[in-house]
Structure formats: structure tokens, C-alpha cells
Amino acid sequence: MHTNYYFLRQLAPALTERLRGYRVAVCFTQEKDELVIGLTNGTAEFWLKAQLGANFPALALPETFQRARANSVDLFPDMLGEQVETVAAWPQDRVVQLNFRSGGRLVFKLYGPRPNAIFRAAPDSKAQLFHQKLLADADLRPQAQTTPPPSETPNSSESAQSDKPVKSAVQKLPPPLADLPLRYLRENGYDLASPETKTRQVNQVLAQLEKPAHYYLIQLDGRTRLSLLPLGEVLETFAGTDPVAALRRFVPMALGRRALETETKQLRQLLERRAAEADTAAAHARQRLHALAHEAGYRHTADLIMANLHAIPVGATQIEVIDFYTNLPRLIKLKRTEKPQFTAENLYRKGKNQQIEERQLTERIARREAEALSALERLEDMDTQPALAELRGLRTWRKQHGLDPTPTAAKAATELPFKVFEDRGFTILVGRNAANNDLLTQKYAHKDDLWLHAKDVTGSHVVIRHRAGQPVPEPVVEHAAMLAGWYSRRQHDTLCPVTVTPKKFVRKPKGALPGQVVVERERVVLVKPGNPFEQQQ
């Protein structure tokens, strides 16, 4: 709530008391999205540092400040020497305004996505903007708004007030209340209370916000926040008569903890996503394995054909036999132009592939379940290990477990002329056509990259970029092989053999057509071609 109206309306008179009579001595910037103003009354100094980045807009009030000798630029030269008369908070808004005795004013707009500072040397002077791309801020004016009667609860729109009674908007609060007061109300039984009780609770919270007894620095949902109400884990408490001290302590604390909070949140999301993906993949593999176990296999059908060869007439398209596995009648379809022996031979070959698929499915289930368990264990570690409460400890732990952040596939896609995919930090590149395959294999691929291609058919070249000191995990090879199968003539086959080899064993003979290569050493994996546009399993 450090930019909320109810805090700013307490901060403004406190700053007026501190700054009345002070003159602007310096105004400069030395970091992106930061405006520093130094004021003095001749004997004392006061520093005001505005953080005007979209991620964390704030007014910081450091007790001292040392200007850098380099990379420092003066701003708003017309403001130098201006004497502060008052500091005001705009009604129902996230804006603080410094009024100077000359009639000039400096406005700090603390809107989350587009903060800015606007200076006018006089009321009718041209506006000077800190973020000059926000041209609409030149016309920014305070809007007169009235506080709704206590017996009514307006809606939560940020642009207008409403006159709806409490019972028709039981979960809505005045626009400037933001999220913390609503959460405070809900934790105190607001949702289940009667309309009359809700009205009373809202009035009590409004009274606390208008004249807070304390300011609280809290930890809530992984974020450090300034609150006028006790919520979450209370880290520090300040008297309600000194908003300057609370803000002076909060901003450096929040900035110092922000990197830790952001990386912790990203790491949690990564682990939760990995656990969910692994669970889904294991469930799909179990379904497929169950289906294979409860259907008549290819070998089973081939055995029945071979056992009944003497009873199959020439040119038959089907035959009904007694299944000696189940003692039930079984209808088997045949091809008119193919001898039954050849049909059985093809079925035996498919049966061998089916056995391989069953073995691979079993291995995949075990691997994916282990991955899900590992991700859940890492999540539990994040809640129990004290060392992860510090940024250095978190980064060391993340590196130890191979959880370092990597560039996204979207970013790589803007730099490379291939289809780009990501899996567990490894980049997978897929050629788009024959000429593009040559470009990928001959120009972009490193000798230690893994090279994949659907065996014995035309298709895209696929490359897994190597990472120094990190062998490519089998799930990544499997994913890349599924892509190689999908981007080939075997796209709709049940099972596709895929060549896997280091790129150093792939060469292009002289005079070969675009996309043609010779593989000197290989291993073959069998996978089901995977559609990259469906959810990755």
C-alpha cells in the first residue's frame, strides 16, 4: 500500500511539515527510471528519490545520498531554487504533488504500469516529463471525487464510484482500498457476515485507514509490502504518526528482497509445472500401456493366421477362426493381393515393435514418476531449508539441482531461422525444408550437438544444442525424436524409428542434393511421432 491513496494522504502532511521552506538544490538521474531530488533549508538536507519503473514505483526517502561522478544527468533545471510550500495527495488517487511558492508544482504519478514525474514552472507553463514517451501525462489533472457514504459500498472499478448498497455488492470495496483491506476483511469473516455486519466491518476498516494506529512491513504471498492493516507475517511495526520513517525503511527493504522474491516465485512455478507435466505424461503412458495389455497383440493375430494357413482360401479378405488363447470365435481381416504368410510376417514385425513400445512405456512411466517426485521434493526443500531465505543460498541451491534459468524458446526463435523448442533447458532446432536442413546441419550445428532424423524417409533435420558438461537427458532425446518423427513422412505412423548421433558423424557427400547427408555412426530409438502444437507429454 505504499502507493495507495490512504497511505499517501498520511504521507503528504508529514512531508509538508518536514519540507516547508526547503529549496531544491539538485535534481538529477543516474540510473534508469530513477529521479533524485536534493532539498535544503540552509542547515539541513532532505533527499527524495522517485523509483519510476513499471515494476516497482515508489517514493524513497533516503537519509543521505552520494551522487555518482559519472553517468549522472541533471534534469528539470527550472526547478532549481524552488521553495516548497506544501505537499498534497490527489483525492482517491496514487499521485503526490509538491507545490512551490512560485506557483510551480512537481507531480509524482505512481501508477503501477506507467509511473512518471511531471514538472510545471507555473500553472500555465508547458509540462516537462521524466518519461517523455507518456505524452498524455502533460494534461494530467486531479479529478474531484467524493468518498461514498459509509452505509454504501461502491464497486471496485478504478475509474468511477457507485451507489450500490452493501447487500448488492457484498464483495466490493471503494476503488482506493486495493487488495489488502479486502483480504483483511475476508480473514475476519466478511464473506459470511450479514449485510449489516459487512457495513460495520467496512466502516471500521475505513476508520483504520483514515487514521492508522500503525504502519506494518509485512511478508504476504512471497512479497514484502507496506500495509496499514496487520496481515500475513508482520516483519516490523511503525507508529501511525510517522509515515516517513515507515516509508524510509520499507523501500530499501522491498528493493533488497525483490530479487529473492521474484526468483523464488519463478522457481516455484518451474517446479510446479515440471511436476504437473511429469504426472500428465506418466498418466498418458499408463493409459497407453493398459490399452496395449488389453488388446489382441500383433503377434497373437499372426499366430492365428499361421495356425490356420491350410484353411485360408486364395484371395480371401477375411477368415473366422477359433482363438486358441480365448476359445472364442475371432474374425481376422486379410488383404486380397497379399499372401497370408506375408501378412503374418508384417504382424510379427509390428508385434516386435509393440513389445519395444511396451518396454519404453514402462521405462517412461518410471522416469516421469521419478521426475514428478523429484520436483515435489525440491518444492518441499524450498519451504524447509533456511539457506534458501537468502538470494545467494537460493542461487547456489538452484545451480546444484540444475534449475538455472535459460533463454526462452520465443527469444531464440527471433534469432534463428528454424523451428525452436525448449525442454529442460536444452534448445531443440528443427529444419523447415531441404535447404534449411543443410543450413542447420552444415552451418549452425556444433560437432557435439545431437543430430536426429526419421530413419529411411524424408523429413526435417533435428538438432539438440549441447551444453558444456551436461549430457543430454533421455527425456530430451525422446522429445526431439518425437519432433523428428512428426516433421517427416512417418508423421502418422504408430511407431517411428529415429536416428540419433552426434553431429560430428554426419557429413554431406560432394554433389548430394539439398538435405541429403550420410550418417557414419548411429543409434535408433523408437517413438510415437509427437505433435508439437498439442500439450507436451
Side-chain angles (χ1 to χ4, degrees):
M1 295 183 69
H2 65 288
T3 61
N4 183 266
Y5 165 69
Y6 282 99
F7 176 73
L8 297 181
R9 72 193 298 267
Q10 306 296 328
L11 179 65
L15 288 178
T16 297
E17 183 178 347
R18 296 282 188 95
L19 295 179
R20 181 177 282 123
Y22 276 65
R23 294 183 181 275
V24 177
V26 291
C27 180
F28 60 92
T29 181
Q30 60 188 32
E31 292 185 14
K32 182 182 178 182
D33 299 330
E34 178 185 274
L35 177 64
V36 181
I37 300 173
L39 304 103
T40 181
N41 63 357
T43 58
E45 63 181 27
F46 192 97
W47 291 93
L48 195 156
K49 183 171 70 171
Q51 303 284 346
L52 299 175
N55 293 328
F56 186 74
L59 287 179
L61 308 174
E63 295 187 17
T64 60
F65 193 88
Q66 296 295 325
R67 183 173 182 175
R69 295 183 179 180
N71 300 322
S72 180
V73 179
D74 290 317
L75 293 177
F76 302 149
D78 296 340
M79 192 167 61
L80 299 181
E82 291 280 3
Q83 189 173 19
V84 177
E85 179 67 24
T86 60
V87 180
W90 286 14
Q92 311 290 352
D93 212 338
R94 292 164 289 172
V95 178
V96 174
Q97 178 174 308
L98 272 67
N99 299 311
F100 300 111
R101 289 186 179 174
S102 65
R105 64 176 182 270
L106 176 64
V107 172
F108 293 107
K109 186 187 75 168
L110 302 176
Y111 297 176
R114 53 192 189 283
N116 206 354
I118 307 102
F119 173 68
R120 290 181 185 271
D124 56 350
S125 298
K126 182 180 179 181
Q128 302 175 41
L129 307 177
F130 179 79
H131 287 306
Q132 299 185 24
K133 63 182 179 180
L134 302 177
L135 299 177
D137 289 349
D139 301 321
L140 195 66
R141 297 287 189 279
Q143 297 181 358
Q145 299 184 22
T146 58
T147 303
S151 61
E152 298 176 349
T153 304
N155 65 28
S156 60
S157 166
E158 295 200 1
S159 61
Q161 298 281 354
S162 171
D163 296 329
K164 294 181 181 179
V166 170
K167 62 182 179 181
S168 65
V170 295
Q171 294 184 345
K172 297 181 179 180
L173 295 170
L177 290 190
D179 61 321
L180 293 183
L182 178 57
R183 185 155 181 172
Y184 178 80
L185 285 169
R186 284 178 168 165
E187 289 187 2
N188 287 275
Y190 178 81
D191 287 334
L192 300 178
S194 65
E196 294 77 12
T197 303
K198 288 179 178 178
T199 301
R200 185 173 63 255
Q201 288 179 328
V202 170
N203 290 338
Q204 290 173 349
V205 167
L206 287 172
Q208 287 180 266
L209 295 176
E210 290 170 357
K211 193 173 182 180
H214 299 93
Y215 300 106
Y216 304 94
L217 304 190
I218 64 171
Q219 183 82 5
L220 183 66
D221 295 337
R223 292 174 57 196
T224 302
R225 304 185 65 176
L226 172 63
S227 175
L228 279 63
L229 301 164
L231 278 169
E233 178 187 356
V234 178
L235 304 176
E236 295 186 33
T237 303
F238 293 85
T241 57
D242 196 356
V244 172
L247 189 63
R248 193 166 263 167
R249 173 65 177 135
F250 165 71
V251 173
M253 175 187 286
L255 289 173
R257 299 168 65 103
R258 186 171 159 218
L260 172 65
E261 293 165 356
T262 300
E263 293 188 20
T264 299
K265 180 179 179 181
Q266 292 173 346
L267 194 52
R268 282 187 177 280
Q269 291 174 341
L270 172 64
L271 290 170
E272 289 169 356
R273 184 171 64 252
R274 283 191 180 181
E277 289 177 351
D279 278 337
T280 301
H284 289 181
R286 280 193 294 269
Q287 291 175 2
R288 175 61 179 162
L289 189 61
H290 182 269
L292 291 175
H294 290 79
E295 66 182 22
Y298 295 115
R299 179 178 292 276
H300 182 167
T301 304
D303 288 343
L304 293 177
I305 293 175
M306 295 301 295
N308 292 275
L309 276 178
H310 63 282
I312 301 176
V314 176
T317 58
Q318 63 182 25
I319 181 176
E320 185 173 353
V321 300
I322 297 299
D323 189 335
F324 47 74
Y325 289 102
T326 63
N327 290 324
L328 297 174
R330 171 87 182 276
L331 187 66
I332 301 175
K333 293 184 178 181
L334 302 169
K335 293 182 180 179
R336 184 186 301 274
T337 59
E338 185 177 76
K339 291 183 178 181
Q341 295 93 325
F342 291 158
T343 301
E345 183 180 347
N346 289 333
L347 289 173
Y348 279 127
R349 184 167 59 252
K350 289 184 177 180
K352 182 178 180 181
N353 289 343
Q354 190 177 59
Q355 290 178 340
I356 296 173
E357 183 182 8
E358 290 175 351
R359 184 178 69 250
Q360 291 182 342
L361 285 170
T362 302
E363 294 173 353
R364 186 183 306 171
I365 291 169
R367 183 172 64 247
R368 291 295 200 175
E369 287 178 343
E371 290 174 5
L373 180 61
S374 175
L376 293 175
E377 288 176 345
R378 300 289 83 79
L379 281 170
E380 186 177 348
D381 288 346
M382 292 183 68
D383 294 327
T384 58
Q385 292 195 18
L388 304 187
E390 296 182 0
L391 185 60
R392 179 177 296 179
L394 179 71
R395 288 177 174 174
T396 300
W397 180 85
R398 183 182 64 193
K399 187 174 182 180
Q400 288 173 347
H401 294 285
L403 298 171
D404 280 338
T406 56
T408 63
K411 181 178 179 182
T414 63
E415 301 171 353
L416 297 173
F418 315 108
K419 296 182 181 74
V420 183
F421 301 88
E422 286 283 329
D423 192 347
R424 292 166 178 78
F426 286 85
T427 300
I428 303 172
L429 305 178
V430 179
R432 297 180 181 273
N433 51 48
N436 195 243
N437 283 341
D438 276 348
L439 180 67
L440 172 59
T441 300
Q442 305 302 320
K443 300 296 183 182
Y444 277 82
H446 185 271
K447 66 175 183 178
D448 292 327
D449 292 346
L450 277 186
W451 184 91
L452 301 92
H453 194 280
K455 191 169 179 62
D456 299 330
V457 293
T458 58
S460 294
H461 295 191
V462 177
V463 168
I464 306 175
R465 304 297 290 266
H466 84 290
R467 299 176 65 184
Q470 297 187 31
V472 181
E474 278 304 311
V476 178
V477 176
E478 178 184 299
H479 181 195
M482 292 168 65
L483 292 172
W486 181 260
Y487 290 107
S488 76
R489 288 290 183 89
R490 296 186 184 273
Q491 181 180 105
H492 300 296
D493 286 6
T494 302
L495 212 57
C496 172
V498 176
T499 294
V500 182
T501 186
K503 189 268 172 184
K504 61 186 176 184
F505 297 123
V506 180
R507 63 181 178 84
K508 187 173 182 66
K510 184 176 181 180
L513 296 175
Q516 288 186 343
V517 294
V518 173
V519 180
E520 298 176 346
R521 188 182 303 177
E522 67 176 4
R523 69 183 177 99
V524 178
V525 296
L526 285 170
V527 295
K528 181 179 180 181
N531 185 349
F533 301 104
E534 295 178 352
Q535 181 177 0
Q536 182 184 336
Q537 297 183 5

